[in-house]
Amino acid sequence: MIDKIGIAFKEFYGEKPSIVVSAPGRLDFLNTHQDYKGLPVSAIGVNLRTYIALAPSNNGVMAYSENLNAVDEFHPEEITLRGGKWFGDYIRAVFKVFTEEGYRIKGFKAYIASNIPVASGLASSAALEVAVAWGISELNGLGLSRKDIAEYAFKAESKVMGIPCGRLDQYGSAFGGVTLIHTRPPYNVEELGFREGVWLVVDSGIRHSTADIHPRVQGEIDRALNELMSIVPPGLKSKLGYRYWEPRWEELTLDELAPYLDNVNRTGARKIEFTIRMHSSTMLAVKALKGFKPTVGEVVEVLGSELAEPEKVRSILSSNTWRLELIGLVMNHQHYLLSKLYDVSLPEIDRIVEEMNKLGALGAKLSGAGLGGSVIALCRDRDTAGKALKGVLDCCAPRGWIVEIDEGVKTHGDR
């Protein structure tokens, strides 16, 4: 891919690129739909990447997308967004963030090629933003850190483009690997170092837009919170708030909220229940990822006795592969919550998850905002992943990949 994009750049612009950079797509691993609430989330960078060949330019910015066969051009002094989900707006927004941060940066020529499917829950837009931001830093000798790059990319999408996203995508792409991303200041990132099992990604073929989904669910949470704030006692009110990012979610329990949730609209109450249950299951999984084995009681309490029947959990925890099996169990639990409480799955997505589990996956869940996009699955080995992929493509999905955990944004060197 590196050689290919270098040659393509020269054919398009008539000169060699100065550098080639790339950023990975990410799997939305644990705590989906929680980053915009300030809760920690886990991402996995994978070897589906966006590549950009770049060279400095004295004539503004010109970017060609090989995937879209489209060109975007703008002048650094006159940055406006075109709208209509135009790919160049992501580049313009990143450039604008750099100028707002006080950097005087050069124009550039860019050739973009990606093997991350668009609108499929794998953060294709974040990978583009992160790669562009890294390329700008490299071309201008700024030496910015991965955290700087992630934050600038997040600001480009959330502040400049006005898309109500959290930090999962940009931080997951910038850092790669398996990470726990803390989405409250100072936005620390823990590298979990998990490398067991084999990951499978299946594209449902159903397209979605984060910009359409997030405002709806965030509005539903806000309405429920406003209803709760009018009926809960002062002690509980101090832990809540009126907007979805205000509660101290990690301090709330369903037991203390239960007497009041029955008096809140059912749609909003489900979203609040989701938030608490999703977070507790993520913390259980993170404990396992760090190598600490929970007790049977802990697992049953968090996941519920229907999914985590005590004898089944006891068998899992006594296995040599207990971490893999427990993580799979948590993934199935989180997909159930996304489908039944958060209303962001579809029958077609649920079927893919069900089929993956029947075909040998340890666990599966949707990745991304939902209502389409991709499903990710954790398998015991590559042979199982191959059989599961073939089976699910035969029944209910157009394409999929066995993927590998990959590093974050990087420079591939002079061409």
Side-chain angles (χ1 to χ4, degrees):
M1 191 69 176
I2 308 305
D3 290 337
K4 175 185 172 184
I5 196 171
I7 293 168
F9 183 100
K10 185 175 181 181
E11 290 177 348
F12 190 85
Y13 290 108
E15 61 181 285
K16 290 183 178 181
S18 300
I19 54 170
V20 176
V21 302
S22 73
R26 66 93 192 96
L27 307 186
D28 185 358
F29 180 25
L30 297 169
N31 240 10
T32 301
H33 276 283
Q34 304 276 64
D35 53 341
Y36 50 76
K37 301 168 193 170
L39 288 168
V41 292
S42 183
I44 300 175
V46 296
N47 60 336
L48 299 173
R49 303 180 70 92
T50 291
Y51 297 83
I52 308 181
L54 301 113
S57 170
N58 295 321
N59 299 309
V61 175
M62 181 176 186
Y64 173 72
S65 168
E66 180 181 275
N67 301 73
L68 300 175
N69 189 26
V71 174
D72 187 50
E73 294 183 83
F74 63 91
H75 194 278
E77 304 298 325
E78 302 171 1
I79 305 175
T80 58
L81 303 185
R82 286 181 49 172
K85 300 179 181 178
W86 174 241
F87 89 96
D89 281 353
Y90 294 98
I91 302 167
R92 295 174 185 222
V94 170
F95 203 104
K96 188 172 178 64
V97 168
F98 273 87
T99 60
E100 290 176 348
E101 292 290 330
Y103 295 104
R104 293 186 62 82
I105 54 179
K106 307 169 187 173
F108 57 83
K109 303 169 184 176
Y111 189 103
I112 305 164
S114 179
N115 51 31
I116 308 172
V118 176
S120 295
L122 298 175
S124 58
S125 60
L128 175 59
E129 294 156 357
V130 166
V132 169
W134 186 264
I136 289 173
S137 175
E138 292 287 272
L139 279 181
N140 292 273
L142 304 181
L144 296 178
S145 68
R146 293 180 190 276
K147 187 175 178 180
D148 293 330
I149 294 300
E151 194 63 20
Y152 287 1
F154 165 74
K155 288 179 180 179
E157 186 159 344
S158 64
K159 309 301 182 187
V160 179
M161 298 185 70
I163 297 173
C165 62
R167 286 175 167 80
L168 168 71
D169 294 358
Q170 291 80 13
Y171 276 70
S173 182
F175 282 86
V178 183
T179 53
L180 184 68
I181 303 158
H182 296 272
T183 60
R184 289 197 180 115
Y187 311 118
N188 291 328
V189 177
E190 294 181 60
E191 297 186 21
L192 298 176
F194 182 70
R195 290 294 185 274
E196 298 174 26
V198 177
W199 291 96
L200 180 60
V201 179
V202 172
D203 183 2
S204 70
I206 304 168
R207 295 294 167 254
H208 71 284
S209 170
T210 297
D212 297 331
I213 297 169
H214 282 183
R216 172 179 63 81
V217 295
Q218 291 165 357
E220 290 167 352
I221 295 169
D222 288 351
R223 286 190 290 276
L225 287 173
N226 276 267
E227 293 173 18
L228 277 175
M229 290 290 280
S230 69
I231 59 175
V232 299
L236 188 50
K237 184 178 289 188
S238 68
K239 292 195 286 186
L240 290 167
Y242 294 95
R243 300 300 307 276
Y244 60 87
W245 67 84
E246 293 177 347
R248 302 200 301 272
W249 291 109
E250 59 271 46
E251 298 179 22
L252 292 164
T253 68
L254 286 177
D255 285 344
E256 65 183 333
L257 286 174
Y260 310 101
L261 285 178
D262 287 342
N263 298 310
V264 171
N265 76 85
R266 186 58 193 144
T267 298
R270 289 203 314 271
K271 301 297 186 294
I272 289 174
E273 180 184 351
F274 165 92
T275 301
I276 296 170
R277 292 179 65 185
M278 195 77 164
H279 178 66
S280 62
S281 67
T282 294
M283 291 300 98
L284 174 70
V286 168
K287 180 177 181 179
L289 289 167
K290 291 181 176 180
F292 299 102
K293 186 184 292 189
T295 66
V296 172
E298 284 179 276
V299 177
V300 173
E301 181 181 3
V302 171
L303 303 186
S305 57
E306 287 188 10
L307 176 66
E309 194 274 329
E311 284 306 312
K312 178 181 179 180
V313 174
R314 190 169 288 108
S315 175
I316 287 173
L317 294 179
S318 64
S319 166
N320 290 332
T321 57
W322 68 269
R323 281 211 303 180
L324 273 180
E325 295 180 50
L326 181 57
I327 297 304
L329 202 62
V330 170
M331 290 174 66
N332 284 332
H333 173 74
Q334 294 203 349
H335 182 78
Y336 174 86
L337 298 178
L338 287 159
S339 178
K340 305 306 179 186
L341 295 184
Y342 223 60
D343 306 314
V344 293
S345 189
L346 295 168
E348 298 90 335
I349 300 292
D350 292 343
R351 185 186 176 198
I352 292 172
V353 169
E354 182 180 352
E355 291 295 329
M356 282 181 163
N357 281 300
K358 285 181 181 178
L359 292 162
L362 297 170
K365 63 181 286 291
L366 67 81
S367 178
L371 298 183
S374 293
V375 172
I376 63 174
L378 176 61
C379 297
R380 195 178 301 276
D381 51 50
R382 198 170 186 87
D383 183 58
T384 303
K387 291 176 181 176
L389 177 58
K390 182 181 184 305
V392 81
L393 295 183
D394 286 344
C395 77
C396 37
R399 58 181 177 165
W401 307 264
I402 296 172
V403 297
E404 297 177 4
I405 297 171
D406 206 0
E407 61 190 305
V409 65
K410 62 182 291 188
T411 303
H412 297 276
D414 294 339
R415 301 308 304 163

